[in-house]
Amino acid sequence: MFKKILIANRGEIALRIVRACKELGVRTVAVHSEADARALHVRFADEAVCIGPAPASKSYLNIPAIISAAEITAADAIHPGYGFLSENAEFARICEKCGLRFIGPTPEGMRAWGDKVTARANAERYGLPLLAGTGVLRDIAHAIDEAKRIGFPVIIKASGGGGGRGMRVVRSEEDIESSFLSASREAESGFRNPDVFLEKFVERPKHIEFQVLADGQGKVWTLGERECSLQRRHQKIVEEAPSPVMTEELRREMGDVIRKAVRETGYRSLGTLEFIMDEHRDLYFLEMNTRVQVEHPVTEMATGLDLVALQIKVAAGDEVDLPDTRPWSFRGHAIECRINAEDPKSFAPWPGLITEYHPPGGTGVRIDSGVYGGWKVPSDYDSLLAKLIVHAPTRNEALIRMRRALGEFIIGGIRTNIPLHKKLMDDREMISGEMTTRTIERLLAEDSDADRPPSSVE
Amino acid sequence: MSWDPDKLRSLFDLLIEKDITEFEHEDEGARVRIVRGKVAVATFSHTEAAPSAATVDAEHRGQQARGGADHRGASRGADDDVEVTSPFVGTFYRSPTPDSPSFVEVGSLVRPGQALCIIEAMKLMNEIESDISGTITEVCVPNGKAVEFGQKLFRIKKA
């Protein structure tokens, strides 16, 4: 086991890592920007080093400063958390070169699965289901042929970039020509590359992901799935484990295929394979995240495992004492709500001073948070304040518990999305378990319809 | 843990005999780091249990940072002295080599561009220069100590 771990992150995940280290008997070094000098993870770590001013590029993304901090504190490993440098293969390589163990995959493992193209190639090789798609489309005739082969609806996407640019959903053959041309034009102006390709379009997908742990020496465990369909603009807002629509059979089937793929590519550490599920309950591989995820607590609560501790043990080459390689079984149901510092209607970020802070508690309630009363939420980083996680024997009881916990959560001085979460826990799609990535959009549209004053009768 | 001169002497002998250039050892909050060669400086630090000295400085600095200037880490102290703060994480050295005299002492006159100290980060020696003319009124860090970003290094009374 390591003697000292440097935590190259901030906020709730940095505190999470400090906690795991304390229980493992490992000393901790918190690196922080000037804006985070009074952060919780800084105060609870054994040592702290200020590495730069507030901007992430000069602090949490500042590789020389982080390596220097590891040097002067004689840390022997670095935990990158999520975001920031956690999926930066170059940083992983530099750590190894400087004699510091990077707590995550090897740089090769990260590149193999982190890059979308090679990940898809791996998925194909090991029999993970993929969305039907094409290479670059030569012309309109080619587009039509491929669209008919794949089956409508399809989506035309730009090769050169994402973010919604150069994307057109096409529902029938007669719309291909105009969509192809306008998508190409947009791609050209956005990325200086007019190339587009086609993919099957799933109208109302569910987002399902599978948690894996690999020791890099041939043992891989699949630790069940999470559903993260409640999203806004591709940001997850609510997650749960297990998925209300997963069957034992599908979980077992996916577990077998995933374990083989992860084992045979020599991957080490925690990882999450993300899929979309269509209305027929078929799964399609999207990508793999080669790090610990924000929503890991729902898996922890519903399996009784400490994923961060396991990740550290695997990195240290310690024996991991998990029973066997069959898919993990769940006990009860866990839901997580991401509490953000933002206006609940406009979603504008809301930094500022937290004047009072009273988190919920009681049976089956867990809070992962880096904030406290008196903490000044800086404007330089993401808006996540806290993760509110509940666990209960059944999904329905978990919903009831979440409603109760949201009602107790007091955060004064700034605006938060707690009101949105209260609405979500009462939403019919959430209650039925049929929610998709379009649910929040629908709920917000209904909301603004309700807000609009009634039009006068003619 | 306090250091034992005899233990240290045999440690030095061993390093020289085996031509070891760098040695580090930590035990319950006391750390020894010895570097031979271009920068042959022995450093000792007793890191305290929480709150560590670095943490206390960080809290103080956090309050200063809100109003302070950022350029080359110089900012005004309460009594019109200028503070020179560290622009890097690294190890602070007062002289260019272990045998030479310090760049500056309390009372030294400095000019813009004049070297004040070296901060070593990842084997690179970075000279930190004064931005202003003035007199050194305080040397805030002992030789060979680890420093963090923004840590106070010197106070200079502006000329």
Side-chain angles (χ1 to χ4, degrees):
Chain A
M1 178 45 65
F2 305 116
K3 293 245 158 28
K4 191 184 283 191
I5 292 177
L6 182 148
I7 298 151
N9 214 297
R10 64 175 300 280
E12 67 89 17
I13 193 65
L15 182 56
R16 173 75 188 85
I17 298 162
V18 168
R19 285 171 165 157
C21 288
K22 275 210 206 288
E23 291 185 2
L24 289 169
V26 177
R27 287 178 68 82
T28 50
V29 179
V31 296
H32 63 91
S33 71
E34 287 182 314
D36 281 336
R38 298 189 67 83
L40 271 188
H41 77 284
V42 171
R43 301 172 86 169
F44 286 134
D46 297 306
E47 298 173 55
V49 180
C50 182
I51 53 171
S57 58
K58 298 201 158 77
S59 51
Y60 299 103
L61 295 171
N62 184 343
I63 295 177
I66 291 168
I67 302 289
S68 226
E71 226 180 47
I72 64 173
T73 54
D76 46 350
I78 295 194
H79 198 306
Y82 55 66
F84 292 133
L85 296 167
S86 64
E87 286 174 301
N88 185 314
E90 185 56 21
F91 178 61
R93 192 191 62 82
I94 291 171
C95 287
E96 302 291 343
K97 196 149 176 251
C98 296
L100 297 158
R101 176 48 57 101
F102 177 83
I103 297 173
T106 58
E108 299 72 42
M110 202 187 280
R111 283 200 189 95
W113 284 104
D115 173 273
K116 277 200 169 173
V117 174
T118 43
R120 270 186 75 97
N122 278 328
E124 216 159 355
R125 186 179 319 136
Y126 293 103
L128 289 173
L130 286 167
L131 267 183
T134 69
V136 175
L137 297 168
R138 288 187 299 273
D139 51 36
I140 291 167
H142 187 202
I144 291 175
D145 280 343
E146 291 288 60
K148 280 154 88 168
R149 175 179 69 80
I150 287 169
F152 291 93
V154 296
I155 179 168
I156 299 179
K157 285 179 168 176
S159 293
R165 282 190 148 215
M167 281 187 176
R168 294 286 184 280
V169 178
V170 186
R171 296 196 162 81
S172 62
E173 195 180 324
E174 53 264 25
D175 298 326
I176 291 261
E177 179 164 351
S178 55
S179 296
F180 179 89
L181 292 171
S182 71
S184 284
R185 251 198 313 274
E186 209 168 87
E188 172 68 50
S189 80
F191 317 117
R192 262 173 280 165
N193 175 1
D195 286 345
V196 293
F197 65 99
L198 260 181
E199 220 176 50
K200 177 116 193 77
F201 180 68
V202 178
E203 292 274 12
R204 293 196 151 69
K206 283 178 160 290
H207 175 113
I208 309 275
E209 56 189 40
F210 288 84
Q211 178 70 62
V212 299
L213 173 71
D215 69 359
Q217 285 155 44
K219 285 213 235 135
V220 181
W221 295 268
T222 42
L223 304 173
E225 82 282 354
R226 292 183 287 262
E227 178 163 351
C228 314
S229 299
L230 289 179
Q231 301 178 7
R232 183 188 166 260
R233 301 212 178 151
H234 305 285
Q235 295 291 310
K236 296 166 184 170
I237 308 276
V238 177
E239 307 101 346
E240 59 185 291
S243 162
V245 299
M246 182 61 60
T247 62
E248 278 296 334
E249 196 193 317
L250 184 56
R251 186 182 292 133
R252 198 180 322 122
E253 216 178 277
M254 293 307 299
D256 289 340
V257 177
I258 286 170
R259 277 194 307 281
K260 183 159 198 265
V262 169
R263 184 188 316 117
E264 296 196 9
T265 50
Y267 186 78
R268 172 193 81 198
S269 191
L270 287 179
T272 296
L273 288 90
E274 299 195 328
F275 295 79
I276 60 171
M277 179 186 263
D278 68 11
E279 50 276 10
H280 306 294
R281 306 278 194 248
D282 288 324
L283 290 169
Y284 302 101
F285 176 73
L286 271 183
E287 60 178 14
M288 179 170 177
N289 293 323
T290 58
R291 53 174 164 81
V292 65
Q293 302 235 146
V294 175
E295 58 270 23
H296 74 273
V298 294
T299 297
E300 290 188 332
M301 299 307 282
T303 59
L305 298 173
D306 182 333
L307 291 180
V308 176
L310 288 169
Q311 183 187 30
I312 294 171
K313 282 186 176 156
V314 148
D318 285 7
E319 187 76 27
V320 161
D321 190 21
L322 289 182
D324 58 27
T325 58
R326 275 180 294 128
W328 204 258
S329 53
F330 286 111
R331 38 154 225 177
H333 200 99
I335 302 177
E336 172 182 280
C337 286
R338 295 196 195 185
I339 312 295
N340 295 329
E342 62 191 16
D343 182 276
K345 292 219 144 156
S346 70
F347 299 95
W350 216 269
L353 178 69
I354 296 176
T355 52
E356 44 191 333
Y357 181 77
H358 181 268
T363 311
V365 175
R366 165 178 168 175
I367 305 285
D368 280 27
S369 171
V371 309
Y372 53 90
W375 167 250
K376 198 151 184 272
V377 179
S379 54
D380 313 83
Y381 315 111
D382 68 41
S383 60
L384 181 63
L385 291 172
K387 292 161 9 193
L388 167 50
I389 305 117
V390 299
H391 181 240
T394 65
R395 186 173 189 268
N396 199 45
E397 287 168 280
L399 282 167
I400 290 170
R401 183 152 287 161
M402 183 59 87
R403 289 181 201 122
R404 188 266 294 165
L406 286 168
E408 290 173 14
F409 212 154
I410 297 174
I411 305 182
I414 55 170
R415 292 187 191 172
T416 71
N417 62 355
I418 288 174
L420 172 63
H421 283 297
K422 288 176 174 171
K423 291 202 180 103
L424 288 171
M425 294 306 121
D426 283 338
D427 183 76
R428 59 183 183 274
E429 287 189 280
M430 177 62 177
I431 291 170
S432 69
E434 292 300 326
M435 62 279 173
T436 68
T437 57
R438 310 284 299 277
T439 297
I440 290 190
E441 192 188 307
R442 188 220 87 225
L443 182 147
L444 292 173
E446 284 171 6
D447 236 26
S448 64
D449 282 348
D451 283 348
R452 213 174 295 136
S455 48
S456 55
V457 179
E458 299 249 293
Chain B
M1 178 196 120
S2 54
W3 54 274
D4 173 350
D6 287 332
K7 269 207 188 120
L8 223 52
R9 199 167 300 120
S10 28
L11 179 59
F12 283 137
D13 289 341
L14 182 67
L15 294 184
I16 292 165
E17 184 195 321
K18 302 288 180 190
D19 200 22
I20 291 169
T21 47
E22 213 172 304
F23 172 84
E24 233 172 297
H25 176 74
E26 177 163 344
D27 185 18
E28 296 310 319
R31 179 161 69 242
V32 171
R33 180 161 180 255
I34 301 173
V35 179
R36 289 179 60 230
K38 286 218 175 94
V39 184
V41 178
T43 76
F44 295 90
S45 67
H46 277 79
T47 55
E48 293 163 42
S52 71
T55 313
V56 172
D57 272 347
E59 288 187 6
H60 180 60
R61 198 169 329 102
Q63 284 155 16
Q64 279 183 339
R66 256 168 253 146
D70 199 29
H71 178 64
R72 297 296 305 241
S75 59
R76 297 231 155 237
D79 43 326
D80 215 38
D81 279 3
V82 167
E83 280 167 5
V84 178
T85 61
S86 179
F88 312 118
V89 179
T91 309
F92 172 81
Y93 296 115
R94 294 197 51 196
S95 55
T97 69
D99 315 312
S100 44
S102 298
F103 285 104
V104 295
E105 303 284 358
V106 173
S108 299
L109 294 170
V110 296
R111 268 184 304 278
Q114 182 173 344
L116 301 174
C117 64
I118 281 175
I119 308 262
E120 183 220 337
M122 293 169 71
K123 310 285 182 287
L124 292 175
M125 304 297 164
N126 303 283
E127 265 187 22
I128 308 302
E129 298 169 353
S130 176
D131 283 337
I132 58 163
S133 292
T135 315
I136 304 283
T137 56
E138 191 185 344
V139 178
C140 310
V141 181
N143 189 46
K145 187 154 190 290
V147 293
E148 56 184 349
F149 174 85
Q151 187 157 349
K152 226 188 309 177
L153 303 175
F154 299 97
R155 291 181 86 92
I156 302 179
K157 191 179 167 72
K158 229 181 160 185

